[in-house]
Amino acid sequence: MKLYVSNNGELLENNGPTIEAGNRGYLYGDGLFESIRVINGEPINLDVHILRVLEGMAVMKMRIPTFFTQDFFYKKIKEVFIKSNLHEGAKVRLSIDRISGGTYRPISNEVTYFIEVYPLKNNQFKLNDKGIEVDLCQTIKKEKNCLSNFKTKNALPFVMASIEATEKNLDDILLTDKKGAIVESTSSNIFLVSNGILYTPGLEEGCVGGTMRMTIINLALENNMRVYESPIMPQSLFYADEVFLTNAINGITWIGGFRTKRYVNNTSQYLITLLNDQYLSLGSELESK
């Protein structure tokens, strides 16, 4: 299988170096990215992904080209997808970097974009058979600032947290802020379920503004489930009935255990069924474009 990338519109075979040596995302983490799920050949939640990219670019003082629209990126993603001969499930990574030049002080706020596609075995979201094991990260704390809600390329805190998870034989690890409140995991937002009510940290707590996070909140509300955005302290994990993680690629991942506490996955199963029904039956709103 030959996979391709789009380097600022130029289609290149993904079998070697495809970015320039001076790329600021590579050199300084001076960029943003989005991980986008493809189902039935269509990128889902693309409108929310592009909105988050544009908001992040504004915060990072990048100049936003007028043609950076949902329709533009839909066409560019489909171009790479079709060139790579993919048809159903896939993962797309969209990167936005400030153009090359300068050191910590850029010479320009113009940008470039980069699109990668990778096939996935499943053409729908699939709940993990076995619940994952998690604990609290001790290596590093999640900082709260103007960039906290975006997926920037300054990902070292998540890398360090992931290494700690590996060293402790955990499947994932939960990051806390300086006050000890749980913010998110290494690559996902977190939800607790207690007496049928969903709880998740609000964006003001410093978590990434996940597209799947918002999708799950909306799905739950549409199906008469109560959802509260509020700080979550570690002791709350011992009183919860369920705990699950959400991200754009996996959908929902249920947690089986936190230390001595064990969890069920009834709500996770229910929500992932709703999630698949939404995308597999309705298809993409972008299909006609």
Side-chain angles (χ1 to χ4, degrees), residues 178-201:
K178 291 181 179 180
K179 295 181 179 179
I182 296 170
V183 181
E184 59 200 357
S185 79
T186 58
S187 61
S188 304
N189 293 109
I190 185 170
F191 285 80
L192 272 63
V193 184
S194 182
N195 296 320
I197 302 173
L198 273 62
Y199 299 87
T200 189

Side-chain angles (χ1 to χ4, degrees), residues 3-68:
L3 298 177
Y4 288 81
V5 301
S6 175
N7 188 342
N8 221 39
E10 181 183 3
L11 292 177
L12 303 170
E13 193 171 338
N14 191 2
N15 61 358
T18 52
I19 63 172
E20 60 184 356
N23 176 273
R24 291 187 59 85
Y26 163 71
L27 290 176
Y28 304 110
D30 189 6
L32 296 155
F33 74 96
E34 291 288 317
S35 298
I36 303 166
R37 181 69 185 257
V38 175
I39 293 179
N40 287 336
E42 295 293 320
I44 65 171
N45 287 339
L46 186 61
D47 55 340
V48 186
H49 283 290
I50 300 307
L51 177 62
R52 184 168 64 173
V53 162
L54 299 180
E55 289 177 346
M57 290 176 67
V59 169
M60 293 180 66
K61 309 297 184 183
M62 294 174 168
R63 193 189 77 79
I64 303 174
T66 56
F67 59 86
F68 268 25

Side-chain angles (χ1 to χ4, degrees), residues 64-81:
I64 303 174
T66 56
F67 59 86
F68 268 25
T69 63
Q70 178 185 344
D71 185 62
F72 171 79
F73 283 113
Y74 174 78
K75 291 176 180 177
K76 292 301 179 181
I77 288 170
K78 290 289 286 189
E79 185 178 57
V80 183
F81 189 81

Side-chain angles (χ1 to χ4, degrees), residues 128 130-134 171 241-244 253-265:
N128 47 311
K130 181 182 178 182
I132 66 171
E133 298 291 322
V134 302
D171 299 297
D241 302 312
E242 297 185 44
V243 185
F244 62 85
T253 301
W254 71 282
I255 293 175
F258 169 75
R259 298 178 183 172
T260 59
K261 175 69 177 181
R262 312 311 299 173
Y263 304 106
V264 296
N265 66 356

Side-chain angles (χ1 to χ4, degrees), residues 50 121 204 218 247 256:
I50 300 307
K121 292 182 180 179
E204 67 276 7
N218 290 336
N247 67 35

Side-chain angles (χ1 to χ4, degrees), residues 4-241:
Y4 288 81
V5 301
S6 175
N7 188 342
N8 221 39
E10 181 183 3
L11 292 177
L12 303 170
E13 193 171 338
N14 191 2
N15 61 358
T18 52
I19 63 172
E20 60 184 356
N23 176 273
R24 291 187 59 85
Y26 163 71
L27 290 176
Y28 304 110
D30 189 6
L32 296 155
F33 74 96
E34 291 288 317
S35 298
I36 303 166
R37 181 69 185 257
V38 175
I39 293 179
N40 287 336
E42 295 293 320
I44 65 171
N45 287 339
L46 186 61
D47 55 340
V48 186
H49 283 290
I50 300 307
L51 177 62
R52 184 168 64 173
V53 162
L54 299 180
E55 289 177 346
M57 290 176 67
V59 169
M60 293 180 66
K61 309 297 184 183
M62 294 174 168
R63 193 189 77 79
I64 303 174
T66 56
F67 59 86
F68 268 25
T69 63
Q70 178 185 344
D71 185 62
F72 171 79
F73 283 113
Y74 174 78
K75 291 176 180 177
K76 292 301 179 181
I77 288 170
K78 290 289 286 189
E79 185 178 57
V80 183
F81 189 81
I82 292 169
K83 182 68 173 179
S84 298
N85 198 30
L86 300 178
H87 304 284
E88 294 186 335
K91 169 184 176 178
V92 172
R93 179 179 166 112
L94 167 64
S95 297
I96 307 293
D97 299 319
R98 212 180 310 265
I99 64 169
S100 300
T103 52
Y104 290 142
R105 178 178 293 187
I107 62 170
S108 172
N109 290 318
E110 301 293 325
V111 297
T112 62
Y113 68 87
F114 193 84
I115 300 171
E116 307 161 70
V117 296
Y118 301 97
L120 294 176
K121 292 182 180 179
N122 295 317
N123 188 39
Q124 61 180 335
F125 294 109
K126 185 178 184 300
L127 192 66
N128 47 311
D129 295 324
K130 181 182 178 182
I132 66 171
E133 298 291 322
V134 302
D135 205 331
L136 302 178
C137 180
Q138 304 298 325
T139 303
I140 201 160
K141 299 295 182 182
K142 177 71 187 285
E143 296 291 336
K144 190 185 305 183
N145 55 44
C146 63
L147 300 175
S148 300
N149 298 150
F150 305 104
K151 298 183 73 172
T152 73
K153 291 192 173 180
N154 182 15
L156 194 54
F158 302 106
V159 173
M160 297 302 297
S162 296
I163 291 172
E164 181 180 334
T166 299
E167 291 174 342
K168 293 181 175 179
N169 293 316
L170 298 169
D171 299 297
D172 204 343
I173 204 160
L174 306 178
L175 286 90
T176 59
D177 61 19
K178 291 181 179 180
K179 295 181 179 179
I182 296 170
V183 181
E184 59 200 357
S185 79
T186 58
S187 61
S188 304
N189 293 109
I190 185 170
F191 285 80
L192 272 63
V193 184
S194 182
N195 296 320
I197 302 173
L198 273 62
Y199 299 87
T200 189
L203 298 183
E204 67 276 7
E205 305 301 321
C207 65
V208 169
T211 59
M212 187 54 63
R213 172 187 179 274
M214 185 51 62
T215 296
I216 293 301
I217 289 174
N218 290 336
L219 266 182
L221 294 174
E222 290 165 7
N223 287 274
N224 301 313
M225 299 177 70
R226 284 187 288 171
V227 183
Y228 292 103
E229 297 180 75
S230 60
I232 295 176
M233 301 305 293
Q235 56 265 35
S236 301
L237 295 175
F238 291 105
Y239 301 108
D241 302 312

